[in-house]
Amino acid sequence: MIVRASLRAVLACLVLFAAVATSRAETRTVARCGEGFLEEVDGYRVLHVKGTPYEMGFQQGALLKDDIRENVRYLFEVKGKELKFEVAGVNLLNPKRIIAGIAARQKKFVPERFFEEMQGVADGAGLDVQDVVVANFIPEMFHCSGFALGRSTTRGGHLYHGRVLDYGCDWRLQDHAILTIAEPAGRVPFVNVTYAGFIGSVTGMNAEKISIGEMGGKGLGHWDGVPMAFLTRMALEEAKSLDEAVAVFRDNPRTCEYYFVIADGRSGKAVGMEASWDVFGVIAMGEAHPKLPTPVADAVVLSAGDRYVELARRVKEGSGGFDAEAARRLMDRPVAMKSNLHNVLFETDTGRFWVANADKDGNPAAEQPYHAFDFETLLANRPDSAAPSLELPPRTARGGAPATPR
């Protein structure tokens, strides 16, 4: 009897081990560079960068060299030639030159560490730093939906934060989609749902359980402030609470017209926020606003026009029964537009999240499968020591001269 009982226990352990093993994500280290490395997690590329701003930039540049170079080439040589910007009724040609001028104007508002990081990206990828700077300021030229579901609206008492990025699938950014797990020296680690070569953020979550998603409005031409993507990055690597995240946007000079959803997984609270060049305001969960006339209890719902009406209807009808799958379905079309570049659902209180990208043919992210991740697991991942190791910059170049827009 003892032998049979022991055998049953062993078999039970083996079954449990098999179940755990099959549930773990399949990871493969592609390459290493200093403390940074590139891995594939169930086929999705995850970039790990760590250290000083320059070191993190160089790690990205070296590990994603081909993607960054192609991304920059396509943005400038193909899409850039098709674009015309209009400010104050005047059409502006040569977008690259225009954006470079905006970057130079904004330099005094941007923390120097971000220019050091862009210098590292350029050095690692073998590019002119000015091309990297201009590419990183492109989000400032274009002007999506978002929501947060409080604990009472969900089945498991979770805080869900959904983010729909409608940005233009014909820019081929989805071909260079990356998750970046960043560990900046002396700052808060965070995950950035982004694209090769970019150091700013429009969608992210940090180790303090703060998640942020941006939505663009109008106001083109108001440049005297910190670009939106850098403000978001600052909040991710500095904020340890909802109030601290809000303060980053409130206390810094801002540009154009932008809206945000910020969620705090520790408190279970979230806010909608307008952080434009001349207006700052916060709307609490369940609060009405002239631009958001259909509030839902214990929720924040941000969008525009018919998409807002549909999103608010879906949230109100499903309130109390949302799990992760149902929350992801809130981002289905027509809440997401045809230009839907990526969708992300953060379970901000646990650190789990799901990401969908537009496909290579430009079909919207809402129609593509979601990839599941756990931030704490990704943060704990370590590279395979047998993976190729890329050359580091010369010691004299580390922390190198910051990039200066010309």
Side-chain angles (χ1 to χ4, degrees), residues 130-362:
Q130 187 67 6
D131 287 344
V132 173
V133 171
V134 173
N136 271 272
F137 278 74
I138 281 178
E140 191 73 352
M141 297 298 293
F142 297 91
H143 297 214
C144 337
S145 300
F147 62 84
L149 306 176
R151 291 168 176 161
S152 69
T153 70
T154 67
R155 285 186 191 173
H158 293 297
L159 177 64
Y160 289 121
H161 175 187
R163 190 275 191 274
V164 178
L165 177 61
D166 291 314
Y167 204 75
C169 300
D170 58 339
W171 285 68
R172 295 187 183 175
L173 290 170
Q174 67 270 27
D175 294 356
H176 311 286
I178 293 290
L179 280 186
T180 297
I181 304 298
E183 297 181 69
R187 301 184 189 277
V188 180
F190 62 92
V191 57
N192 189 10
V193 184
T194 186
Y195 307 94
F198 291 93
I199 70 164
S201 180
V202 296
T203 308
M205 176 174 62
N206 73 14
E208 299 291 341
K209 297 187 176 353
I210 302 296
S211 57
I212 306 175
E214 165 272 339
M215 286 145 277
K218 299 178 182 178
L220 193 68
H222 297 277
W223 311 124
D224 292 328
V226 183
M228 165 272 299
F230 291 126
L231 271 178
T232 304
R233 164 76 184 266
M234 289 165 63
L236 287 172
E237 63 182 22
E238 295 174 10
K240 297 182 179 180
S241 68
L242 182 60
D243 287 344
E244 288 184 6
V246 169
V248 170
F249 294 90
R250 183 192 63 223
D251 299 342
N252 284 283
R254 303 174 299 272
T255 67
C256 303
E257 182 181 327
Y258 293 106
Y259 302 86
F260 301 83
V261 173
I262 306 178
D264 181 348
R266 297 193 192 279
S267 68
K269 300 296 184 182
V271 297
M273 181 175 67
E274 179 177 3
S276 302
W277 81 97
D278 62 341
V279 175
F280 182 84
V282 174
I283 180 170
M285 303 176 87
E287 187 177 350
H289 185 275
K291 294 182 179 180
L292 305 169
T294 312
V296 182
D298 201 23
V300 173
V301 181
L302 263 67
S303 192
D306 292 342
R307 291 179 293 123
Y308 168 73
V309 173
E310 176 61 16
L311 179 57
R313 182 193 68 78
R314 292 178 182 180
V315 172
K316 183 169 290 189
E317 287 186 358
S319 183
F322 286 109
D323 57 12
E325 172 65 21
R328 292 194 296 271
R329 296 280 69 83
L330 290 173
M331 298 183 280
D332 287 351
R333 289 183 41 75
V335 170
M337 301 171 69
K338 290 182 179 179
S339 58
N340 179 206
L341 190 57
H342 75 224
N343 283 350
V344 179
L345 180 71
F346 295 111
E347 193 175 80
T348 309
D349 56 310
T350 69
R352 297 197 302 164
F353 62 103
W354 295 262
V355 181
N357 290 286
D359 68 14
K360 291 183 180 297
D361 295 323

Side-chain angles (χ1 to χ4, degrees), residues 365-388:
E367 298 173 359
Q368 311 309 316
Y370 281 83
H371 298 260
F373 301 97
D374 179 86
F375 178 53
E376 290 185 3
T377 300
L378 292 176
L379 192 60
N381 281 359
R382 294 296 179 263
D384 181 352
S385 60

Side-chain angles (χ1 to χ4, degrees), residues 17-78:
F17 175 79
V20 172
T22 54
S23 66
R24 292 183 63 186
E26 182 178 334
T27 64
R28 179 181 72 89
T29 304
V30 178
R32 299 171 293 138
C33 181
E35 293 194 80
F37 64 100
L38 178 65
E39 65 178 347
E40 288 186 351
V41 178
D42 287 339
Y44 201 112
R45 291 186 301 172
V46 179
L47 173 72
H48 294 255
V49 294
K50 183 175 181 179
T52 67
Y54 182 82
E55 288 169 340
M56 292 196 302
F58 190 91
Q59 291 158 16
Q60 177 176 183
L63 290 164
L64 296 175
K65 180 177 182 177
D66 292 342
D67 279 89
I68 295 171
R69 293 175 69 91
E70 174 57 22
N71 211 3
V72 169
R73 184 201 69 80
Y74 190 80
L75 290 176
F76 293 157
E77 297 183 14
V78 180

